Amino acid sequence: MTHATADNACCARVMPGADRVQATQVDLVDARSELLEDGQLVAAGSPRDCLGSILNAWRWLLRRSGELGIALQPGDIVLCGAMGPAVPLKPGRRYELLVEGLGTVSLQAE
């Protein structure tokens, strides 16, 4: 299984939700995610698939940004890495991403 690193190389679009959730409200280790293509499961994962825990990705980011003298700013969006394998979108297909504790987002690929 191949996973992407949060290096801006795999992110064509970002779909932030309108609702904000505190980190304490989500299981940052075991929350499952499922990606459906036209209702069929095509990928699944959890935060463990990202360096063992999304918290490890955050620790690395904070440590490295501190070394470089870079501070996160209010409103910054941080993508910590993939919780599952990359799936190429196919025109005309509908995709839904379900993440435990966060909800669902969907799109129609064109």
Side-chain angles (χ1 to χ4, degrees), residues 4-99:
T5 304
D7 61 0
N8 290 332
C10 296
C11 184
R13 304 282 187 278
V14 176
M15 295 175 58
D19 297 331
R20 299 292 182 244
V21 177
Q22 297 295 316
T24 55
Q25 296 174 283
V26 180
D27 185 341
L28 297 174
V29 176
D30 289 318
R32 295 287 303 156
S33 69
E34 294 183 342
L35 179 64
L36 307 176
E37 178 185 271
D38 289 338
Q40 299 295 312
L41 182 66
V42 292
S46 79
R48 286 184 188 275
D49 295 330
C50 180
L51 299 178
S53 166
I54 285 178
L55 296 175
N56 291 335
W58 268 98
R59 282 186 200 101
W60 179 90
L61 171 68
L62 295 174
R63 186 173 35 254
R64 186 66 179 134
S65 61
E67 292 169 0
L68 296 172
I70 300 169
L72 294 176
Q73 300 299 314
D76 284 352
I77 295 175
V78 177
L79 305 175
C80 291
M83 288 176 45
V87 174
L89 302 183
K90 299 173 188 165
R93 303 283 176 95
R94 180 175 176 74
Y95 294 87
E96 289 182 277
L97 175 65
L98 302 85
V99 180

